[in-house]
């Protein structure tokens, strides 16, 4: 398979074992990842739809990579606690406990539970996408930033929609109306972007 004129080795994007956290990806992931890599464009929203009814969100970067909220550097004690909880609740992927880090990683390295459907999903939010230049400016400023995860106020979907639309939105919180901007999350992300431009 080729990507932008270069040979793309999908084996590096679909690992069977993540060397750091022991993440296991079943072979069924490879076909979903290959389809995304062959069709996605920079700034597309990537949805990791979990079998339990909620999703992890990221933004497609390039060359098979996705930018998303991930586990931050953590102490051994916190890492052991998180891994124990993930073993108790294997349907959740990475449990984000407090500190998160926005990372750009190969699509196949995102820790997801068995049965997750990975897809390009640009039609679940009622906003017009920003220009590629604006999306790139936002994502470049936010990658490697560490933030405190908050399921209701600052989560992966807020991040992904901010990069794509310039508005932080989360449509999967049951008590919240759909397509309503979380202005505090937008401001938090925008402050980081603005600080990098000055």
């Amino acid at each position: 398979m080729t990507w932008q004129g270069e040979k793309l080795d999908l084996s590096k994007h679909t690992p069977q074992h993540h060397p750091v956290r022991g993440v296991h990806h079943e072979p069924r992931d490879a076909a979903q990842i290959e389809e995304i890599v062959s069709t996605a464009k920079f700034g597309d929203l990537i949805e990791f739809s979990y079998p339990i009814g909620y999703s992890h969100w990221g933004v497609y970067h390039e060359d098979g990579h996705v930018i998303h909220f991930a586990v931050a550097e953590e102490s051994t004690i916190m890492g052991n606690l998180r891994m124990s909880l993930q073993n108790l609740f294997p349907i959740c992927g990475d449990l984000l406990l407090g500190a998160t880090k926005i990372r750009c990683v190969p699509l196949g390295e995102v820790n997801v539970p068995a049965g997750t459907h990975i897809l390009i999903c640009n039609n679940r939010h009622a906003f017009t996408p920003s220009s590629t230049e604006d999306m790139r400016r936002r994502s470049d400023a936010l990658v490697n930033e560490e933030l405190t995860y908050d399921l209701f106020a600052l989560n992966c979907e807020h991040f992904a929609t901010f990069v794509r639309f310039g508005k932080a939105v989360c449509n999967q919180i049951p008590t919240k109306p759909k397509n309503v901007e979380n202005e505090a999350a937008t401001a938090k992300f925008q402050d980081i972007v603005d600080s990098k431009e000055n």
Side-chain angles (χ1 to χ4, degrees), residues 57-179:
W57 290 85
V59 178
Y60 190 77
H61 192 257
E62 293 167 315
D63 299 326
H65 285 69
V66 64
I67 304 167
H68 74 114
F69 264 33
V71 174
E73 307 305 322
E74 57 190 7
S75 69
T76 302
I77 292 170
M78 186 56 117
N80 290 339
L81 172 64
R82 187 179 47 73
M83 291 299 288
S84 294
L85 289 171
Q86 285 176 199
N87 287 335
L88 285 173
F89 304 102
I91 55 175
C92 295
D94 273 338
L95 287 176
L96 300 176
L97 304 172
T100 61
K101 187 170 187 174
I102 298 171
R103 298 183 190 267
C104 183
V105 299
L107 202 49
E109 288 186 13
V110 177
N111 183 14
V112 296
T116 296
H117 186 67
I118 307 167
L119 64 152
I120 299 168
C121 191
N122 293 325
N123 62 354
R124 299 237 174 120
H125 304 89
F127 300 99
T128 302
S130 299
S131 69
T132 300
E133 178 182 282
D134 284 343
M135 287 188 268
R136 189 174 303 279
R137 183 175 49 81
R138 290 182 200 121
S139 66
D140 288 352
L142 291 168
V143 74
N144 294 322
E145 285 293 319
E146 289 194 19
L147 299 163
T148 301
Y149 182 83
D150 183 318
L151 179 64
F152 300 106
L154 195 70
N155 65 37
C156 59
E157 189 175 359
H158 289 123
F159 161 72
T161 56
F162 174 76
V163 170
R164 184 162 176 84
F165 306 112
K167 297 173 190 265
V169 176
C170 182
N171 284 344
Q172 59 185 336
I173 300 172
T175 59
K176 302 278 185 180
K178 306 291 184 228
N179 295 307

Side-chain angles (χ1 to χ4, degrees), residues 1 21 36 45 49 63 90 116-117 126 136 186 188 196:
M1 165 176 215
R21 294 191 299 274
I36 289 169
L45 293 177
S49 181
D63 299 326
T116 296
H117 186 67
R136 189 174 303 279
T186 297
K188 175 80 170 173
K196 301 281 178 86

